[in-house]
Amino acid sequence: MKNNKENNLYAVILAGGVGSRFWPLSRQLAPKQFLKVVSDKTLLEQTILRVNKLIPSKNICVITNQHYLFEIKKELEQFGIPDKNIFLEPLGKNTAPAIALAARYLFLKDHNSSMIVLPSDHIISKNKLFINAVKDASALADDGYLVTLGVVPQKAMTGYGYIKTLNKISPKSKGYLVDKFIEKPGLEKVKGFLKQRNYFWNSGIFIWKTSVILSEIKKYTPSLYSKIISVYPNKDITKIWQKITPISIDYAILEKSKLVSMIPARFAWSDVGSWQALKDILGNDKNDNVLKADSYDVDSKNILVWSKDRFVATLGLKDLIIVDTPDALLVCKQDYSEKVRKIVDFLKDKNREEYIYHKKVNRPWGSYIVLQYDFDFKVKLVEIDPKKRLSLQFHRKRAEHWVVVEGIARVTCGKMVKLVRSNESIYIPAGKVHRLENPSGNKPLKIVEVQTGKYLKEDDIIRLRDDYKRV
Amino acid sequence: MKNNKENNLYAVILAGGVGSRFWPLSRQLAPKQFLKVVSDKTLLEQTILRVNKLIPSKNICVITNQHYLFEIKKELEQFGIPDKNIFLEPLGKNTAPAIALAARYLFLKDHNSSMIVLPSDHIISKNKLFINAVKDASALADDGYLVTLGVVPQKAMTGYGYIKTLNKISPKSKGYLVDKFIEKPGLEKVKGFLKQRNYFWNSGIFIWKTSVILSEIKKYTPSLYSKIISVYPNKDITKIWQKITPISIDYAILEKSKLVSMIPARFAWSDVGSWQALKDILGNDKNDNVLKADSYDVDSKNILVWSKDRFVATLGLKDLIIVDTPDALLVCKQDYSEKVRKIVDFLKDKNREEYIYHKKVNRPWGSYIVLQYDFDFKVKLVEIDPKKRLSLQFHRKRAEHWVVVEGIARVTCGKMVKLVRSNESIYIPAGKVHRLENPSGNKPLKIVEVQTGKYLKEDDIIRLRDDYKRV
């Protein structure tokens, strides 16, 4: 096998987390990595774009779980990343097991492979500096080091982990030996760190040879190692995964291994760990406000307003975070933004749905929003992505009226197939086999669906054929 | 004519205002007097109930305007107050012209009549004390006084008007002579007032003989008087009203007349002039919070949360008002609650609809809710009351798809008239004359309406015939 960078450097993107401090924008089924918080790309898409400059699509892998599979597939498709590069964790077990699994898979594929591990939900700008840092780290990894990227700290952040470095590995090396990792220190300590210049933010980005990380995992967490090597080939991962103890890669390996080194990096980085952190990234106006909303303010200072659906009026506020979504509203003093998790815990505890779904539900073919749900009728706004179609299906108990409000639909209803254009409608009687399709290559299709019947739950659907194997 | 209290004491309720400081709960077409803020009755209904203990329904009059007519009729119906007791102001001209109009009407009806003037949007508890005060005031009015009810102040409120009294009219009288009216004084002054015990809150409740108030109007505002006497019988009130200068009864008469007296009253009273004022009335919890919402709080103090439709999470807040409605959200520091009007002014200025309607809009024939409003389509749920029908109308720019989801519709579309049943639909092209009717005597009719077109505002409606004289 040809041994050049392009072929044996892999990216492994961790995309299985929820990011519950971003509630109500993030939900269990709409996690932080899928949010478009700073551009029209999701954080995951931005992460892929970043590494794709250096690593070809076929070498980019993503670790996630079953719930996020269709959304991940949609995002990966546009980059030409094959489905086989998606690893599904049966259960979240923190970072070490996920990384070990990917390392083992890539090692079996190529004993000489290296991997760069990246969180999917961070923000990095100054991409050139990022690429350079990765290149330097990659060279160091080839020498047998476990390499971390340490970001030169810009201000006294208490919410981050820090890396304390020792000397350079050698006078000519770009890498430093690592003394220790410090998890979320107090403000006084952090201020001291900034003066000493040998403390860096732990970016959570790591580069190493798969052979090296696996041998360190074997050394420091042999129980995890033995479980991981039993996964390939073809073992029942679900059973194995159940027995694994959750543990982070930092705690399991990096804080113990003698092989750890660090490349300092000067790119702008944030883990966007809270609404407060996001506000710090977004551009303030002259009153330090960030108004990402249809809004009007009187005399407020240092507030973030985030709303897509509703007019928001703010008067005389200070240091607040306001996040408005169709079914839940958050109003939070900024220094409480780390505590948003408490709200999610409350909702879980009460068995409510506001922490699981949005009103808008994503599907592999697009999405729908329930506009009204009454006893004997339901109104949905359904959006079908270009070139996508729903399954060929029928409903036992409900009829459907579709009014096309944007784009053109190709509708199958019994033996008839016809185009239904904007401002036209069609009726699908109960029991009739039908299919809805967006034949356009670039325009979305939107329909208003009025369902009528005595039983209107989502489970009244019999799929006969489906592009997404849900039959 | 028999001259007893029952027959010649009238109530005149002022119900033409908007109460824009209660936005977003109040809207131009959903004013404060129609809100159910402290019970399941509207403030207007509570006002009627209060005077109805003393004054029979046939003697209760309401002054309002055309916009509120159908809602007022609905509310008055349950008390058996006849439609002829509703006075319509063509334009709001503050209180003096409205009161003069009612006085003139009642004077012509009965030269010996007395009237009690009441705002429709205040809150009063301890009704027995209210009735007693009115009785005392009524006796005093019979002696030729213009009697105000002065509420014994409970705390240093700067947002109220104050009445400074002199001595009692006579040792045995319950009434006091009035020295002067003071409009919204500063906090230091108010604190002084409370110590002196001869300052009272101006409740805006007045009692006088119609003959006396008219002669005082003639004396102090002859221009208004001459216009008012020309209204009856049968003159064009609209023309006359246009020429009237807006002026309050306080400023026009009470601050000038020598006949003013005051009955002190100890009932609990609030003009509910702002969200802050409402919060003061509602019962606080141990953290001084009022949570009228499906909500969860962490560590907030002294906040009001008002929401019917959405889960609200609050963290670490202080002294805030949060009011959430389907299309608009208010977050306001409490000492800014008088400035909510600025928001309404902004919305007016921008020609937006969030100050006029709620998402649910009441109509004489029923109501509608806007479920979705996009650039080129709008979805409404329309409910038509039994035996009611919309106007015969057309729209220049929008087409409409109607899906009947409950009941049976009689639909006129061009020359065609047909019944459209539940689970059937019909299409109304732009420009086509149409009408929607509920022929049932007891069942409501519900339709989902999907509007399409580039202009979807409510003003694109040309009415040809209408049961409610809106052509």
Side-chain angles (χ1 to χ4, degrees), chain A residues 294 296 299 310-311 313-316 325-331 333 336 346 352 371-372 401 423 427 452, chain B residues 294 296 299 310-316 326-331 333 336 346 352 371-372 401 423 427 452:
Chain A
D294 171 14
Y296 182 67
D299 293 349
R310 207 179 327 280
F311 173 72
T314 47
L315 291 96
T325 67
D327 61 346
L329 167 67
L330 170 73
V331 184
K333 191 84 176 171
Y336 272 76
F346 166 81
R352 296 182 60 140
L371 301 179
Q372 183 81 13
H401 299 255
N423 197 28
Y427 173 61
T452 58
Chain B
D294 171 14
Y296 182 67
D299 292 349
R310 207 181 324 282
F311 173 72
V312 182
T314 47
L315 291 95
D327 62 345
L329 167 67
L330 170 72
V331 185
K333 191 83 178 174
Y336 272 75
F346 166 82
R352 296 181 58 142
L371 301 180
Q372 181 81 11
H401 299 255
N423 197 26
Y427 173 61
T452 58

Short mmCIF file of all heavy atoms in Angstrom, two decimals, chain A residues 294 296 299 310-311 313-316 325-331 333 336 346 352 371-372 401 423 427 452, chain B residues 294 296 299 310-316 326-331 333 336 346 352 371-372 401 423 427 452:
data_model
loop_
_atom_site.label_atom_id
_atom_site.label_comp_id
_atom_site.label_asym_id
_atom_site.label_seq_id
_atom_site.Cartn_x
_atom_site.Cartn_y
_atom_site.Cartn_z
N ASP A 294 -36.53 39.25 14.83
CA ASP A 294 -37.39 40.36 14.44
C ASP A 294 -37.73 41.06 15.75
O ASP A 294 -38.62 40.62 16.48
CB ASP A 294 -38.62 39.79 13.76
CG ASP A 294 -39.69 40.83 13.51
OD1 ASP A 294 -39.37 42.04 13.60
OD2 ASP A 294 -40.82 40.44 13.21
N TYR A 296 -37.41 44.73 18.58
CA TYR A 296 -37.26 46.16 18.82
C TYR A 296 -36.85 46.34 20.26
O TYR A 296 -37.46 45.77 21.16
CB TYR A 296 -38.58 46.88 18.54
CG TYR A 296 -38.49 48.39 18.72
CD1 TYR A 296 -37.71 49.16 17.86
CD2 TYR A 296 -39.18 49.03 19.74
CE1 TYR A 296 -37.62 50.54 18.01
CE2 TYR A 296 -39.10 50.41 19.90
CZ TYR A 296 -38.31 51.16 19.03
OH TYR A 296 -38.22 52.52 19.19
N ASP A 299 -33.39 50.72 25.20
CA ASP A 299 -32.45 50.90 26.33
C ASP A 299 -31.86 49.64 26.94
O ASP A 299 -31.49 49.66 28.12
CB ASP A 299 -33.13 51.68 27.49
CG ASP A 299 -33.44 53.12 27.09
OD1 ASP A 299 -32.94 53.56 26.04
OD2 ASP A 299 -34.17 53.79 27.84
N ARG A 310 -41.21 34.99 16.06
CA ARG A 310 -42.07 35.87 16.79
C ARG A 310 -41.39 37.21 16.92
O ARG A 310 -40.18 37.32 17.01
CB ARG A 310 -42.25 35.28 18.20
CG ARG A 310 -43.51 35.63 18.92
CD ARG A 310 -43.50 34.92 20.27
NE ARG A 310 -42.83 33.65 20.23
CZ ARG A 310 -43.38 32.56 19.77
NH1 ARG A 310 -44.63 32.57 19.39
NH2 ARG A 310 -42.69 31.45 19.71
N PHE A 311 -42.19 38.26 16.95
CA PHE A 311 -41.65 39.59 17.22
C PHE A 311 -41.31 39.67 18.71
O PHE A 311 -42.09 39.26 19.55
CB PHE A 311 -42.70 40.65 16.86
CG PHE A 311 -42.30 42.03 17.25
CD1 PHE A 311 -41.30 42.71 16.57
CD2 PHE A 311 -42.91 42.67 18.32
CE1 PHE A 311 -40.92 43.99 16.93
CE2 PHE A 311 -42.55 43.95 18.69
CZ PHE A 311 -41.55 44.61 17.99
N ALA A 313 -40.05 42.23 21.81
CA ALA A 313 -39.82 43.59 22.30
C ALA A 313 -39.06 43.51 23.61
O ALA A 313 -39.44 42.74 24.51
CB ALA A 313 -41.15 44.30 22.51
N THR A 314 -37.99 44.28 23.73
CA THR A 314 -37.18 44.27 24.95
C THR A 314 -37.03 45.69 25.46
O THR A 314 -36.77 46.62 24.69
CB THR A 314 -35.80 43.67 24.66
OG1 THR A 314 -35.27 44.26 23.46
CG2 THR A 314 -35.87 42.18 24.46
N LEU A 315 -37.21 45.88 26.76
CA LEU A 315 -37.12 47.23 27.35
C LEU A 315 -36.29 47.20 28.64
O LEU A 315 -36.64 46.48 29.58
CB LEU A 315 -38.51 47.76 27.71
CG LEU A 315 -39.46 48.12 26.58
CD1 LEU A 315 -40.37 46.95 26.31
CD2 LEU A 315 -40.28 49.35 26.93
N GLY A 316 -35.24 47.99 28.63
CA GLY A 316 -34.49 48.24 29.86
C GLY A 316 -33.78 47.03 30.44
O GLY A 316 -33.58 46.97 31.65
N THR A 325 -38.39 29.79 20.92
CA THR A 325 -38.68 28.77 19.90
C THR A 325 -40.19 28.52 19.92
O THR A 325 -40.87 28.94 20.86
CB THR A 325 -37.94 27.45 20.20
OG1 THR A 325 -38.48 26.86 21.39
CG2 THR A 325 -36.45 27.68 20.36
N PRO A 326 -40.73 27.83 18.90
CA PRO A 326 -42.20 27.71 18.84
C PRO A 326 -42.86 27.09 20.07
O PRO A 326 -43.98 27.44 20.38
CB PRO A 326 -42.41 26.84 17.59
CG PRO A 326 -41.26 27.19 16.71
CD PRO A 326 -40.10 27.36 17.64
N ASP A 327 -42.19 26.21 20.78
CA ASP A 327 -42.86 25.61 21.94
C ASP A 327 -42.19 25.90 23.27
O ASP A 327 -42.67 25.43 24.30
CB ASP A 327 -43.01 24.09 21.75
CG ASP A 327 -41.65 23.41 21.62
OD1 ASP A 327 -40.65 24.12 21.42
OD2 ASP A 327 -41.60 22.18 21.74
N ALA A 328 -41.10 26.64 23.28
CA ALA A 328 -40.41 26.90 24.55
C ALA A 328 -39.62 28.19 24.47
O ALA A 328 -39.04 28.52 23.44
CB ALA A 328 -39.49 25.74 24.90
N LEU A 329 -39.64 28.89 25.60
CA LEU A 329 -38.95 30.18 25.70
C LEU A 329 -37.96 30.11 26.87
O LEU A 329 -38.30 29.63 27.95
CB LEU A 329 -39.99 31.27 25.97
CG LEU A 329 -39.47 32.65 26.41
CD1 LEU A 329 -38.70 33.33 25.29
CD2 LEU A 329 -40.65 33.53 26.84
N LEU A 330 -36.75 30.63 26.64
CA LEU A 330 -35.75 30.74 27.70
C LEU A 330 -35.43 32.20 27.94
O LEU A 330 -35.12 32.94 26.99
CB LEU A 330 -34.47 30.01 27.28
CG LEU A 330 -33.25 30.24 28.17
CD1 LEU A 330 -33.40 29.51 29.51
CD2 LEU A 330 -31.97 29.79 27.48
N VAL A 331 -35.53 32.64 29.20
CA VAL A 331 -35.04 33.96 29.59
C VAL A 331 -34.07 33.73 30.74
O VAL A 331 -34.46 33.19 31.78
CB VAL A 331 -36.18 34.91 30.00
CG1 VAL A 331 -35.61 36.30 30.29
CG2 VAL A 331 -37.25 34.99 28.91
N LYS A 333 -30.42 35.05 32.88
CA LYS A 333 -29.31 35.94 33.20
C LYS A 333 -28.03 35.29 32.68
O LYS A 333 -27.85 34.09 32.79
CB LYS A 333 -29.24 36.11 34.73
CG LYS A 333 -28.32 37.21 35.17
CD LYS A 333 -29.00 38.55 35.15
CE LYS A 333 -28.10 39.65 35.69
NZ LYS A 333 -28.70 40.98 35.46
N TYR A 336 -26.01 32.70 34.42
CA TYR A 336 -26.71 31.43 34.65
C TYR A 336 -26.70 30.52 33.42
O TYR A 336 -27.34 29.48 33.43
CB TYR A 336 -28.16 31.69 35.06
CG TYR A 336 -28.34 31.89 36.55
CD1 TYR A 336 -27.97 33.08 37.16
CD2 TYR A 336 -28.88 30.88 37.35
CE1 TYR A 336 -28.14 33.27 38.52
CE2 TYR A 336 -29.05 31.06 38.71
CZ TYR A 336 -28.67 32.26 39.29
OH TYR A 336 -28.84 32.44 40.64
N PHE A 346 -35.26 19.15 34.37
CA PHE A 346 -36.66 19.30 34.81
C PHE A 346 -37.62 18.68 33.78
O PHE A 346 -38.53 17.94 34.14
CB PHE A 346 -36.99 20.78 35.02
CG PHE A 346 -38.46 21.08 35.15
CD1 PHE A 346 -39.11 20.90 36.35
CD2 PHE A 346 -39.19 21.54 34.05
CE1 PHE A 346 -40.47 21.17 36.48
CE2 PHE A 346 -40.55 21.80 34.17
CZ PHE A 346 -41.20 21.62 35.38
N ARG A 352 -41.68 15.28 29.70
CA ARG A 352 -42.23 16.18 28.70
C ARG A 352 -41.47 16.04 27.39
O ARG A 352 -40.39 15.46 27.34
CB ARG A 352 -42.13 17.62 29.21
CG ARG A 352 -42.99 17.85 30.43
CD ARG A 352 -42.91 19.27 30.88
NE ARG A 352 -43.37 20.16 29.85
CZ ARG A 352 -44.11 21.25 30.07
NH1 ARG A 352 -44.48 21.55 31.29
NH2 ARG A 352 -44.47 22.03 29.07
N LEU A 371 -49.10 22.46 12.63
CA LEU A 371 -49.64 23.80 12.86
C LEU A 371 -50.85 23.76 13.80
O LEU A 371 -51.11 24.70 14.54
CB LEU A 371 -50.05 24.46 11.55
CG LEU A 371 -48.97 24.63 10.48
CD1 LEU A 371 -49.56 25.29 9.24
CD2 LEU A 371 -47.82 25.47 11.01
N GLN A 372 -51.60 22.67 13.73
CA GLN A 372 -52.81 22.55 14.56
C GLN A 372 -53.14 21.08 14.71
O GLN A 372 -53.03 20.32 13.76
CB GLN A 372 -53.98 23.29 13.87
CG GLN A 372 -55.27 23.30 14.65
CD GLN A 372 -55.31 24.37 15.75
OE1 GLN A 372 -54.47 25.26 15.78
NE2 GLN A 372 -56.27 24.27 16.64
N HIS A 401 -55.82 16.26 2.58
CA HIS A 401 -55.95 17.29 1.54
C HIS A 401 -54.60 17.99 1.44
O HIS A 401 -54.10 18.48 2.45
CB HIS A 401 -57.01 18.33 1.94
CG HIS A 401 -58.38 17.76 2.10
ND1 HIS A 401 -59.37 17.94 1.18
CD2 HIS A 401 -58.91 16.99 3.08
CE1 HIS A 401 -60.47 17.32 1.59
NE2 HIS A 401 -60.21 16.74 2.75
N ASN A 423 -50.58 26.65 -5.62
CA ASN A 423 -51.98 27.10 -5.68
C ASN A 423 -52.92 26.06 -6.28
O ASN A 423 -54.04 26.37 -6.65
CB ASN A 423 -52.10 28.45 -6.41
CG ASN A 423 -53.43 29.14 -6.13
OD1 ASN A 423 -54.04 28.93 -5.07
ND2 ASN A 423 -53.91 29.92 -7.08
N TYR A 427 -56.68 15.61 -3.32
CA TYR A 427 -57.29 14.90 -2.18
C TYR A 427 -56.86 13.44 -2.19
O TYR A 427 -56.93 12.78 -3.22
CB TYR A 427 -58.81 15.02 -2.28
CG TYR A 427 -59.58 14.20 -1.27
CD1 TYR A 427 -59.43 14.44 0.09
CD2 TYR A 427 -60.46 13.22 -1.68
CE1 TYR A 427 -60.13 13.69 1.03
CE2 TYR A 427 -61.18 12.47 -0.75
CZ TYR A 427 -61.01 12.71 0.60
OH TYR A 427 -61.71 11.97 1.52
N THR A 452 -57.90 14.64 7.96
CA THR A 452 -59.19 14.50 8.64
C THR A 452 -59.42 13.03 8.98
O THR A 452 -58.97 12.15 8.25
CB THR A 452 -60.36 15.00 7.76
OG1 THR A 452 -60.35 14.25 6.54
CG2 THR A 452 -60.24 16.46 7.43
N ASP B 294 -47.08 27.97 32.12
CA ASP B 294 -46.46 26.67 32.24
C ASP B 294 -44.96 26.95 32.27
O ASP B 294 -44.34 27.16 31.23
CB ASP B 294 -46.85 25.85 31.01
CG ASP B 294 -46.09 24.54 30.92
OD1 ASP B 294 -45.47 24.14 31.92
OD2 ASP B 294 -46.13 23.91 29.84
N TYR B 296 -40.89 27.04 34.54
CA TYR B 296 -39.97 26.52 35.54
C TYR B 296 -38.93 27.58 35.80
O TYR B 296 -38.35 28.12 34.86
CB TYR B 296 -39.32 25.23 35.04
CG TYR B 296 -38.39 24.60 36.06
CD1 TYR B 296 -38.89 24.07 37.25
CD2 TYR B 296 -37.02 24.53 35.83
CE1 TYR B 296 -38.04 23.48 38.19
CE2 TYR B 296 -36.16 23.94 36.76
CZ TYR B 296 -36.68 23.42 37.94
OH TYR B 296 -35.84 22.84 38.86
N ASP B 299 -34.02 30.40 40.65
CA ASP B 299 -33.39 31.55 41.33
C ASP B 299 -33.85 32.95 40.89
O ASP B 299 -33.07 33.91 41.03
CB ASP B 299 -31.86 31.52 41.17
CG ASP B 299 -31.23 30.36 41.93
OD1 ASP B 299 -31.95 29.73 42.73
OD2 ASP B 299 -30.04 30.11 41.72
N ARG B 310 -46.92 28.44 25.68
CA ARG B 310 -45.56 27.97 25.52
C ARG B 310 -44.95 27.71 26.88
O ARG B 310 -45.26 28.38 27.85
CB ARG B 310 -44.75 29.08 24.83
CG ARG B 310 -43.58 28.66 24.01
CD ARG B 310 -42.91 29.90 23.43
NE ARG B 310 -43.88 30.90 23.10
CZ ARG B 310 -44.63 30.87 22.01
NH1 ARG B 310 -44.46 29.94 21.13
NH2 ARG B 310 -45.54 31.80 21.80
N PHE B 311 -44.05 26.75 26.96
CA PHE B 311 -43.29 26.52 28.18
C PHE B 311 -42.25 27.63 28.32
O PHE B 311 -41.58 27.97 27.35
CB PHE B 311 -42.62 25.15 28.12
CG PHE B 311 -41.70 24.89 29.27
CD1 PHE B 311 -42.19 24.65 30.54
CD2 PHE B 311 -40.32 24.90 29.07
CE1 PHE B 311 -41.33 24.42 31.60
CE2 PHE B 311 -39.46 24.66 30.13
CZ PHE B 311 -39.96 24.42 31.40
N VAL B 312 -42.15 28.20 29.53
CA VAL B 312 -41.20 29.29 29.75
C VAL B 312 -40.22 28.91 30.86
O VAL B 312 -40.64 28.55 31.96
CB VAL B 312 -41.93 30.60 30.16
CG1 VAL B 312 -40.93 31.73 30.33
CG2 VAL B 312 -42.98 30.98 29.12
N ALA B 313 -38.94 28.98 30.55
CA ALA B 313 -37.89 28.71 31.55
C ALA B 313 -37.21 30.02 31.90
O ALA B 313 -36.83 30.78 31.02
CB ALA B 313 -36.88 27.73 30.98
N THR B 314 -37.06 30.28 33.22
CA THR B 314 -36.43 31.51 33.67
C THR B 314 -35.31 31.17 34.64
O THR B 314 -35.48 30.34 35.52
CB THR B 314 -37.47 32.41 34.36
OG1 THR B 314 -38.22 31.63 35.30
CG2 THR B 314 -38.43 33.01 33.36
N LEU B 315 -34.18 31.84 34.47
CA LEU B 315 -33.01 31.57 35.33
C LEU B 315 -32.34 32.86 35.78
O LEU B 315 -31.91 33.66 34.94
CB LEU B 315 -31.95 30.75 34.58
CG LEU B 315 -32.26 29.29 34.24
CD1 LEU B 315 -32.80 29.22 32.82
CD2 LEU B 315 -31.02 28.42 34.37
N GLY B 316 -32.27 33.04 37.09
CA GLY B 316 -31.46 34.12 37.66
C GLY B 316 -31.96 35.52 37.34
O GLY B 316 -31.18 36.46 37.31
N PRO B 326 -48.87 34.31 21.08
CA PRO B 326 -48.46 33.52 19.92
C PRO B 326 -47.62 34.28 18.88
O PRO B 326 -46.80 33.67 18.22
CB PRO B 326 -49.80 33.06 19.33
CG PRO B 326 -50.69 32.95 20.52
CD PRO B 326 -50.30 34.11 21.40
N ASP B 327 -47.81 35.57 18.73
CA ASP B 327 -47.03 36.27 17.70
C ASP B 327 -46.11 37.35 18.24
O ASP B 327 -45.41 38.00 17.45
CB ASP B 327 -47.96 36.88 16.65
CG ASP B 327 -48.87 37.93 17.25
OD1 ASP B 327 -48.99 37.97 18.49
OD2 ASP B 327 -49.47 38.69 16.49
N ALA B 328 -46.07 37.56 19.53
CA ALA B 328 -45.20 38.62 20.05
C ALA B 328 -44.82 38.32 21.49
O ALA B 328 -45.63 37.81 22.27
CB ALA B 328 -45.89 39.98 19.96
N LEU B 329 -43.58 38.67 21.82
CA LEU B 329 -43.04 38.43 23.15
C LEU B 329 -42.54 39.76 23.71
O LEU B 329 -41.88 40.53 23.01
CB LEU B 329 -41.87 37.45 23.03
CG LEU B 329 -40.95 37.29 24.25
CD1 LEU B 329 -41.71 36.64 25.40
CD2 LEU B 329 -39.73 36.46 23.89
N LEU B 330 -42.88 40.01 24.97
CA LEU B 330 -42.37 41.19 25.67
C LEU B 330 -41.48 40.74 26.82
O LEU B 330 -41.90 39.93 27.65
CB LEU B 330 -43.54 42.02 26.22
CG LEU B 330 -43.17 43.17 27.18
CD1 LEU B 330 -42.50 44.31 26.42
CD2 LEU B 330 -44.38 43.67 27.93
N VAL B 331 -40.27 41.29 26.89
CA VAL B 331 -39.42 41.12 28.06
C VAL B 331 -39.01 42.51 28.50
O VAL B 331 -38.40 43.26 27.73
CB VAL B 331 -38.18 40.25 27.77
CG1 VAL B 331 -37.38 40.01 29.04
CG2 VAL B 331 -38.57 38.93 27.13
N LYS B 333 -37.96 45.25 31.84
CA LYS B 333 -37.61 45.60 33.21
C LYS B 333 -38.82 46.31 33.83
O LYS B 333 -39.47 47.12 33.17
CB LYS B 333 -36.40 46.54 33.20
CG LYS B 333 -35.78 46.76 34.54
CD LYS B 333 -34.82 45.65 34.91
CE LYS B 333 -34.15 45.93 36.25
NZ LYS B 333 -33.33 44.78 36.67
N TYR B 336 -39.66 49.91 33.45
CA TYR B 336 -39.93 50.34 32.08
C TYR B 336 -41.36 50.02 31.65
O TYR B 336 -41.71 50.23 30.50
CB TYR B 336 -38.96 49.66 31.11
CG TYR B 336 -37.66 50.42 30.93
CD1 TYR B 336 -36.69 50.42 31.92
CD2 TYR B 336 -37.43 51.16 29.76
CE1 TYR B 336 -35.51 51.11 31.75
CE2 TYR B 336 -36.24 51.87 29.60
CZ TYR B 336 -35.28 51.84 30.60
OH TYR B 336 -34.12 52.53 30.43
N PHE B 346 -43.85 51.89 17.75
CA PHE B 346 -42.94 51.33 16.74
C PHE B 346 -43.70 50.47 15.74
O PHE B 346 -43.53 50.58 14.53
CB PHE B 346 -41.85 50.50 17.44
CG PHE B 346 -41.07 49.61 16.51
CD1 PHE B 346 -40.02 50.12 15.76
CD2 PHE B 346 -41.40 48.27 16.37
CE1 PHE B 346 -39.30 49.29 14.90
CE2 PHE B 346 -40.70 47.44 15.50
CZ PHE B 346 -39.64 47.96 14.76
N ARG B 352 -47.19 47.43 10.99
CA ARG B 352 -47.26 46.00 11.27
C ARG B 352 -48.60 45.66 11.90
O ARG B 352 -49.33 46.53 12.35
CB ARG B 352 -46.12 45.59 12.19
CG ARG B 352 -44.77 45.79 11.54
CD ARG B 352 -43.67 45.35 12.45
NE ARG B 352 -43.84 43.95 12.82
CZ ARG B 352 -42.84 43.11 12.96
NH1 ARG B 352 -41.60 43.50 12.75
NH2 ARG B 352 -43.07 41.87 13.32
N LEU B 371 -52.55 30.29 11.54
CA LEU B 371 -51.67 29.19 11.94
C LEU B 371 -50.27 29.35 11.37
O LEU B 371 -49.29 28.91 11.95
CB LEU B 371 -52.24 27.85 11.46
CG LEU B 371 -53.63 27.47 11.96
CD1 LEU B 371 -54.04 26.11 11.39
CD2 LEU B 371 -53.68 27.42 13.47
N GLN B 372 -50.18 29.98 10.20
CA GLN B 372 -48.89 30.16 9.56
C GLN B 372 -49.00 31.34 8.62
O GLN B 372 -49.99 31.50 7.92
CB GLN B 372 -48.52 28.89 8.77
CG GLN B 372 -47.19 28.91 8.06
CD GLN B 372 -46.02 28.59 9.00
OE1 GLN B 372 -46.21 28.14 10.12
NE2 GLN B 372 -44.81 28.83 8.52
N HIS B 401 -58.07 28.36 -0.59
CA HIS B 401 -58.50 26.96 -0.58
C HIS B 401 -59.15 26.70 0.77
O HIS B 401 -58.54 26.97 1.79
CB HIS B 401 -57.28 26.02 -0.71
CG HIS B 401 -56.51 26.20 -1.97
ND1 HIS B 401 -56.59 25.30 -3.01
CD2 HIS B 401 -55.67 27.18 -2.39
CE1 HIS B 401 -55.80 25.71 -3.99
NE2 HIS B 401 -55.23 26.85 -3.65
N ASN B 423 -64.48 17.16 5.41
CA ASN B 423 -63.58 16.37 4.55
C ASN B 423 -63.78 16.65 3.06
O ASN B 423 -63.33 15.90 2.22
CB ASN B 423 -63.69 14.87 4.85
CG ASN B 423 -62.52 14.09 4.29
OD1 ASN B 423 -61.43 14.64 4.12
ND2 ASN B 423 -62.74 12.83 3.98
N TYR B 427 -62.24 25.65 -3.93
CA TYR B 427 -61.22 26.63 -4.29
C TYR B 427 -61.87 27.93 -4.71
O TYR B 427 -62.81 27.94 -5.50
CB TYR B 427 -60.38 26.06 -5.45
CG TYR B 427 -59.38 27.05 -6.03
CD1 TYR B 427 -58.36 27.57 -5.25
CD2 TYR B 427 -59.46 27.42 -7.38
CE1 TYR B 427 -57.44 28.46 -5.79
CE2 TYR B 427 -58.53 28.31 -7.92
CZ TYR B 427 -57.52 28.83 -7.12
OH TYR B 427 -56.61 29.71 -7.64
N THR B 452 -53.18 31.83 -0.89
CA THR B 452 -51.95 31.95 -1.67
C THR B 452 -51.96 33.26 -2.43
O THR B 452 -53.03 33.76 -2.81
CB THR B 452 -51.80 30.78 -2.67
OG1 THR B 452 -52.94 30.79 -3.53
CG2 THR B 452 -51.71 29.44 -1.98
#
